[in-house]
Amino acid sequence: MTFGRHLSILILGIVLLGNPARNQPVVFPHPLSPRIANYNIAVRYEPLQHTLDGHETLTWRNTSMDAIHNLEFHLYLNGFRNNKSTFMRESGGWARGFQIDKDGWGYTNISSIRISSGENLTHAYQFIQPDDTNSDDKTVINLSLPRPISPGDSMTLMIDFKARLPEPPFARSGAKEEYALVGQWFPKIGVYQNGGWNCHQYHANSEFFADYGVYNVWMTVPSKNIVGATGLEVWANKNDDGTTTHWYHAEDVHDFAWTTSPEFVEFTGSIDNVAIRVLMQPDHRNQGIRHIEAAKTAIDYFHRWYGEFPFPNLTVVDPRRGALGSGGMEYPTFITAGTFYGLPRTMRIPEDVIIHEFGHNYWYFLLGSNEFEESWMDEGINTYTEIQIMHDAYGPEGDGINCGGFKLNLLPYNRMGYINSASLDPTVKKAWEYYSGNSYGINSYSKPGLFLTTLQNYLGTETMRKIMRTYVDRWKFRHPTSRDFTTLASEVAGQNLDWFFDQALYTNAVLDYSVDKVKTVELAHSEGFDFARSPDKEIDSILRTHAEDKDSLKVYRSEVNIRRLGDFKFPVELEVAFENGEKIREHWDGTDLWKKYVYQKPSKLVYATVDPDRKIPLDVNLTNNSKTVDDQTKGIDKFSFRFLFWVQVLFDQPGILNASTFITNLF
């Protein structure tokens, strides 16, 4: 009898008989989700080989109106089984700053598939490639069924499998010596929707999509090892062979990940009835409380701004040295962070990563967005909320880094990344169809973070937060699309926002407004000009206002030309400043290619600035936003804008861009 068959009997015995002496009964409250894909998985981990020997019992429910004749499954770890997979061909063997070779291959092999009634379907599956023609890719299988699953009916499958984790951790999952981060490790069923299976191959630029369900997972590891996982531990049972089996239970989740290591140092805390558990590496133990505090900050802000987190716990994992390929990753109630030995508190990399990864528990986990096809709905919305929280919690100056006089805020950081590839692609696109990996990153992370911040500045902070709270409340435990989000945003804002989202999501239009020309001319010196005979009402008003010194009065005609240099149309403000201290604010709808403003005043024009309050971070070029009449550097923040220009040039260099991506966007 195989190990998998032993485990299936163990599962059956535990579920049917329970163990009242050592565990509380599993409670199934009123479901929060449809609970379409429900898993019982027992797995044994061999740390020397980094292998997983598992048995999976899947009960899948057909909630569609179709009779289902086949099932499709992801085998994500097969993306690392050789250099011919679609993942490896697209990535060139590099992911998240790390490289993998043949000594570190990972894989998933299925040895048996049976229906609960006993029918053997092991030879009824085949590898398919729904996204490309790469016959060497083995990350998706199609399983033909002996009879269809009728609407409303369920089918239970028992699957034996063996898997190996890549080494070192690579693309979010893997093992390094005593440490393992076990993600995307079991045969996982796709999502049936719109009359077909949404079950894409594993691509270099993609993450995941799955249905909600209930998970019971039994993980057997060496007894010296500590385990952390999605959900809550029910019990841990010591075995006679020096191993311990840990049973974790999770409800209404669409994935399950876990970690194990004998080296973890545990820290705990809580906030708002959410228990926090941090598993730190021993050389980072002095940052344990710091990680707890960052997790508290994340939970607190998301609760107050975006809605209650409906789960009782969060586990935060600190990857070991040489395993940062598993850092900065999100799973339901379970995230990985990333830090360095001796990192000062003023370099807020752990805080940023923890806030970002916890945010995924809303925009990816609670909302069930499809990261294969609309990655911005998770990564981009999450970047926006990360920017807002980091600014409020650690800003306004240097909310990312404030160390030794050097300050870095996340908003301009994301802007710097965006301008590198601003016009290569529209935002909404399948993850593997972008022009490049950089374009995928820009359109999934930075650009949405910028255009949602721009929208917030346009609508007002409270309106934007109301949009986000309503979005969480209405669409949690479902699979919203981009149109669902934009329709809701218009509803809550009380105005049709299609004009904005159609440009931001479905075109590659860039936003760039500039002050093109400024000039001021003294009218008294103009040929043939006579104040007394001027029919101009504005000048007449000036003369009456300054009647007592009319003879010495000087009147200036000032002109400001502003232009729309990009295709993205957006309302803008213009600030015009005069020598006597007067400032005028103009509001332009921004739809025409240009607009001229003319002023006749007893004071010279000094400068004009588009977007003086910097409400439009989506603007790709800040250096043309201000212009002075005097060619000297008297314009508002002119030196700052020129400095930023050279910073932008610096970030155009590949080495700088890759390093920055590794530190922040990677996480």
Side-chain angles (χ1 to χ4, degrees):
M1 186 178 287
T2 66
F3 175 70
R5 300 300 289 169
H6 280 294
L7 290 179
S8 67
I9 294 173
L10 173 64
I11 291 172
L12 184 62
I14 291 174
V15 171
L16 294 180
L17 301 178
N19 190 342
R22 288 215 300 260
N23 66 280
Q24 297 299 316
V26 177
V27 178
F28 294 88
H30 179 72
L32 300 175
S33 72
R35 296 185 174 178
I36 293 171
N38 303 282
Y39 295 85
N40 288 336
I41 309 174
V43 60
R44 184 184 186 96
Y45 177 60
E46 297 293 344
L48 294 181
Q49 295 80 28
H50 300 151
T51 56
L52 306 165
D53 196 357
H55 174 79
E56 167 184 323
T57 299
L58 165 68
T59 299
W60 184 82
R61 186 164 60 92
N62 181 9
T63 58
S64 76
M65 299 302 294
D66 304 327
I68 306 300
H69 296 266
N70 68 299
L71 304 176
E72 293 186 8
F73 289 81
H74 297 282
L75 302 180
Y76 287 110
L77 290 182
N78 279 347
F80 317 125
R81 71 181 302 126
N82 54 43
N83 60 5
K84 297 179 180 180
S85 71
T86 293
F87 187 103
M88 296 298 287
R89 287 182 178 182
E90 291 176 349
S91 68
W94 286 87
R96 312 181 111 213
F98 294 90
Q99 188 176 25
I100 191 172
D101 59 30
K102 59 185 173 68
D103 294 328
W105 295 141
Y107 59 80
T108 299
N109 290 330
I110 293 177
S111 56
S112 174
I113 303 179
R114 295 178 180 271
I115 302 178
S116 56
S117 59
E119 293 171 83
N120 191 340
L121 303 185
T122 305
H123 302 292
Y125 78 84
Q126 61 180 346
F127 293 103
I128 61 172
Q129 297 79 34
D131 304 330
D132 61 22
T133 59
N134 179 13
S135 60
D136 292 313
D137 189 79
K138 301 181 185 301
T139 58
V140 177
I141 63 169
N142 176 75
L143 177 67
S144 298
L145 301 176
R147 56 188 174 275
I149 307 173
S150 300
D153 286 348
S154 299
M155 176 172 282
T156 297
L157 298 175
M158 295 179 293
I159 305 172
D160 292 332
F161 67 95
K162 186 163 186 175
R164 185 180 189 274
L165 300 175
E167 183 184 7
F170 176 78
R172 312 171 186 90
S173 182
K176 174 72 173 178
E177 297 181 16
E178 80 290 342
Y179 163 84
L181 192 285
V182 190
Q184 307 305 332
W185 54 284
F186 58 94
K188 185 161 67 170
I189 197 166
V191 176
Y192 189 86
Q193 60 178 194
N194 303 321
W197 284 99
N198 193 303
C199 193
H200 293 292
Q201 296 162 241
Y202 198 8
H203 294 269
N205 296 324
S206 70
E207 292 195 9
F208 316 108
F209 184 45
D211 271 323
Y212 292 94
V214 175
Y215 284 73
N216 287 292
V217 182
W218 292 263
M219 295 150 284
T220 298
V221 300
S223 292
K224 63 182 179 180
N225 280 29
I226 294 171
V227 170
T230 294
L232 292 166
E233 186 172 64
V234 181
W235 52 246
N237 180 46
K238 286 191 176 182
N239 305 314
D240 295 336
D241 60 355
T243 65
T244 296
T245 299
H246 300 258
W247 175 13
Y248 272 73
H249 175 77
E251 299 180 7
D252 303 301
V253 300
H254 56 56
D255 207 347
F256 188 98
W258 56 287
T259 187
T260 186
S261 170
E263 299 291 320
F264 284 135
V265 180
E266 184 175 4
F267 293 81
T268 60
S270 67
I271 186 172
D272 294 343
N273 297 317
V274 177
I276 303 168
R277 183 188 188 206
V278 171
L279 301 177
M280 295 296 298
Q281 297 298 320
D283 51 334
H284 298 158
R285 71 173 68 222
N286 65 337
Q287 296 184 47
I289 299 301
R290 178 177 176 179
H291 280 57
I292 291 285
E293 291 172 353
K296 287 182 178 180
T297 298
I299 295 168
D300 175 52
Y301 272 93
F302 271 92
H303 272 189
R304 289 189 290 111
W305 286 4
Y306 306 120
E308 184 178 356
F309 184 58
F311 292 89
N313 71 308
L314 173 70
T315 298
V316 182
V317 179
D318 174 36
R320 85 178 303 281
R321 303 166 307 284
L324 272 179
S326 64
M329 189 53 201
E330 71 280 358
Y331 292 96
T333 74
F334 178 92
I335 63 176
T336 63
T339 190
F340 304 96
Y341 177 80
L343 189 73
R345 281 187 170 268
T346 50
M347 296 186 69
R348 301 187 181 99
I349 294 174
E351 289 79 4
D352 183 27
V353 174
I354 290 171
I355 288 171
H356 181 91
E357 301 310 329
F358 178 74
H360 284 300
N361 270 263
Y362 279 66
W363 315 122
Y364 172 57
F365 171 24
L366 288 186
L367 276 302
S369 50
N370 186 344
E371 290 218 58
F372 284 106
E373 299 180 0
E374 297 177 298
S375 56
W376 83 273
M377 296 190 69
D378 173 38
E379 299 293 358
I381 292 177
N382 198 33
T383 299
Y384 157 72
T385 54
E386 168 197 3
I387 289 170
Q388 302 304 314
I389 293 172
M390 288 292 291
H391 177 78
D392 198 76
Y394 304 109
E397 293 187 3
D399 55 34
I401 297 175
N402 188 349
C403 185
F406 176 76
K407 299 178 181 180
L408 176 67
N409 285 317
L410 292 188
L411 184 62
Y413 168 79
N414 279 278
R415 233 194 114 265
M416 292 172 191
Y418 169 60
I419 64 175
N420 283 278
S421 303
S423 63
L424 288 177
D425 288 296
T427 298
V428 176
K429 206 168 186 178
K430 292 179 180 177
W432 58 96
E433 293 181 349
Y434 289 97
Y435 178 80
S436 64
N438 189 42
S439 182
Y440 161 78
I442 294 304
N443 282 285
S444 299
Y445 293 78
S446 300
K447 181 183 174 182
L450 296 174
F451 73 63
L452 289 173
T453 301
T454 298
L455 182 64
Q456 173 178 288
N457 293 339
Y458 174 75
L459 296 175
T461 299
E462 288 308 312
T463 298
M464 193 66 184
R465 286 185 190 160
K466 185 178 180 182
I467 288 171
M468 304 312 295
R469 288 183 69 91
T470 305
Y471 178 52
V472 171
D473 184 61
R474 184 177 302 177
W475 284 100
K476 59 189 175 185
F477 301 108
R478 299 165 69 186
H479 295 309
T481 65
S482 294
R483 286 299 183 191
D484 294 324
F485 178 83
T486 60
T487 299
L488 180 144
S490 294
E491 173 196 324
V492 176
Q495 56 181 290
N496 191 330
L497 296 173
D498 287 351
W499 63 271
F500 177 80
F501 285 115
D502 285 350
Q503 297 180 91
L505 294 175
Y506 304 108
T507 77
N508 65 340
V510 297
L511 192 154
D512 185 11
Y513 286 93
S514 74
V515 177
D516 188 53
K517 295 180 181 178
V518 290
K519 69 175 182 178
T520 187
V521 177
E522 185 180 338
L523 293 182
H525 293 168
S526 298
E527 183 177 351
F529 185 82
D530 186 344
F531 279 120
R533 296 181 180 181
S534 172
D536 192 298
K537 294 181 179 180
E538 189 173 6
I539 291 179
D540 183 64
S541 174
I542 294 172
L543 291 173
R544 283 188 281 104
T545 302
H546 299 272
E548 56 191 37
D549 54 356
K550 179 171 58 177
D551 294 339
S552 61
L553 181 66
K554 293 182 179 180
V555 178
Y556 300 89
R557 177 184 174 88
S558 300
E559 297 180 0
V560 178
N561 287 27
I562 58 177
R563 293 183 62 189
R564 176 172 59 80
L565 300 178
D567 295 325
F568 199 115
K569 299 176 182 179
F570 189 80
V572 295
E573 289 184 331
L574 173 71
E575 182 175 271
V576 181
F578 297 88
E579 203 169 47
N580 64 357
E582 181 185 8
K583 293 182 179 179
I584 298 174
R585 284 288 178 106
E586 305 283 4
H587 299 269
W588 180 36
D589 64 13
T591 58
D592 292 330
L593 289 172
W594 60 273
K595 186 174 180 65
K596 178 187 288 188
Y597 291 90
V598 179
Y599 308 91
Q600 296 181 131
K601 292 184 172 293
S603 181
K604 292 181 180 180
L605 175 71
V606 178
Y607 67 80
T609 300
V610 168
D611 187 27
D613 299 323
R614 303 187 193 180
K615 294 180 179 179
I616 312 176
L618 197 59
D619 192 324
V620 298
N621 187 1
L622 300 181
T623 67
N624 61 15
N625 282 28
S626 181
K627 191 175 285 290
T628 61
V629 173
D630 189 340
D631 286 336
Q632 305 302 311
T633 56
K634 294 181 180 178
I636 181 171
D637 285 341
K638 181 64 70 173
F639 174 78
S640 298
F641 290 146
R642 290 300 175 191
F643 174 74
L644 182 57
F645 170 78
W646 288 110
V647 173
Q648 292 171 351
V649 170
L650 176 64
F651 268 71
D652 278 337
Q653 308 309 308
I656 297 296
L657 180 61
N658 289 341
S660 65
T661 301
F662 171 74
I663 292 174
T664 303
N665 279 355
L666 168 62
F667 293 134

